[in-house]
Amino acid sequence: MNKIKITILKYAVVLFVAAILAGCNKELTVIEKQAYEAPKFFNPVVKPSLFNSSVLRTWDGWFYAYGSEENWVGAGGNRLMPVMKSADMVTWTYQRNIFNARPSWSTGAMTSPDVVEIERRYYVYYSFASASSTSPKPSIALATSVTPMGPFVEREDMEDMGTKPGNLFDTDSVDTPNPRHPFFFQEENGDKYLFYTSNVAGDVKSAVYCLPLSASGQRIPDFTSMKKVASADFDGVLIQKKDNFYYLFGTRVNGNSSTIIVGRSANLLGPYVDKTGGDLMVGTNGTIFAEANALFSSPGHNSKIFTDKSKEDWIMFHVIDSRDPKFTNNLDKKPLVLARIVWNNGWPELVSDYLTEKELIGPNFY
């Protein structure tokens, strides 16, 4: 490098350092972080319908809600189990369906999807075939995806399942009638379980059952390890762990309406009892968690409980809104409501204001 270039370079460095030093004499502009304001909303928050649904919060903070197959008449047509997305549990947008096309190995409706995250992969356990179907036999099915939105596909390792690549088990596998409404639960030590409802009127084998899953979550290693945990009085259950108890939430159908019942146990497999000590193996037992009011009827199939940064707990479940109860084909709409809960002597209770027409304050996740 010649002397002229070296001189120019030195001069540029001097000017650069001088500029930095001059800037240091200026007052710093402090940008204050705005406090996050929890969103305001009116119930229901997920429309037009998302019945027998599940809600997942992924590792990156997004919420996803998944509903049963349903014909959104006048609002998009038939959905092969719709997927909704939200950043705050208040504002939800439709994304796509769980499946690109209906799986061909069975017929009937695809209902009660429970989507879970296992080692950054996403599994959907769901019911396939109508409740009264005997041919094909009602199945608990499984599909996987690399993203929470899907599309979900049949399991890659299920070549040995032959013509039923998505069939995890059916009535032949478990010898219980009409297996439906799967719910996945994982213990802190990694052990995985699948709960399901078996319910046919008059069948003595009808009940809520639990089966241990393989480490991958994709197989049932031993069908003889099946355990009965509650009566057949429940149309789907969910287990929530809090402190030293497991809480079993179940949907109890009462004619054209339903209620959400809760019991608890010190052990995952029970016995589950209500506030009075009544065993949930008996159909009339259970503490009422959510019931119909003048505005919202048929509460059912609640989500897991999510805790926000203010240490408040939130839950979602479907209802029938008396202001907009049906599609044009006269089938019920079952949108999701969002509600806050509190704990009273170790029992979850709904904050009643959330099942009204009032404007409400939502969760604070930021």
Side-chain angles (χ1 to χ4, degrees), residues 14-74:
V14 170
L15 291 176
F16 177 71
V17 172
I20 293 176
L21 293 174
C24 292
N25 292 325
K26 294 181 179 179
E27 292 185 8
L28 293 176
T29 301
V30 178
I31 300 176
E32 293 185 4
K33 183 179 179 180
Q34 295 292 322
Y36 176 76
E37 291 187 11
K40 295 181 179 179
F41 70 97
F42 295 91
N43 266 322
V45 293
V46 179
K47 300 178 182 179
S49 188
L50 211 73
F51 82 96
N52 291 7
S53 58
S54 66
V55 180
L56 170 70
R57 192 181 194 196
T58 53
W59 61 272
D60 55 1
W62 286 98
F63 291 92
Y64 296 86
Y66 307 84
S68 299
E69 179 183 4
E70 192 171 15
N71 189 352
W72 289 357
V73 179

Side-chain angles (χ1 to χ4, degrees), residues 195-261:
F195 292 78
Y196 73 94
T197 301
S198 173
N199 194 339
V200 171
D203 194 311
V204 296
K205 293 181 180 178
S206 293
V208 175
Y209 290 95
C210 178
L211 275 167
L213 289 165
S214 63
S216 69
Q218 295 193 2
R219 293 187 185 268
I220 308 294
D222 181 9
F223 285 101
T224 65
S225 61
M226 184 169 58
K227 171 75 172 177
K228 186 185 295 187
V229 295
S231 76
D233 194 50
F234 297 107
D235 188 33
V237 299
L238 178 144
I239 309 295
Q240 177 81 40
K241 179 74 181 296
K242 180 177 173 61
D243 299 329
N244 297 321
F245 288 101
Y246 299 86
Y247 291 83
L248 185 151
F249 293 84
T251 301
R252 176 176 288 160
V253 177
N254 308 303
N256 294 324
S257 189
S258 60
T259 55
I260 300 176
I261 303 298

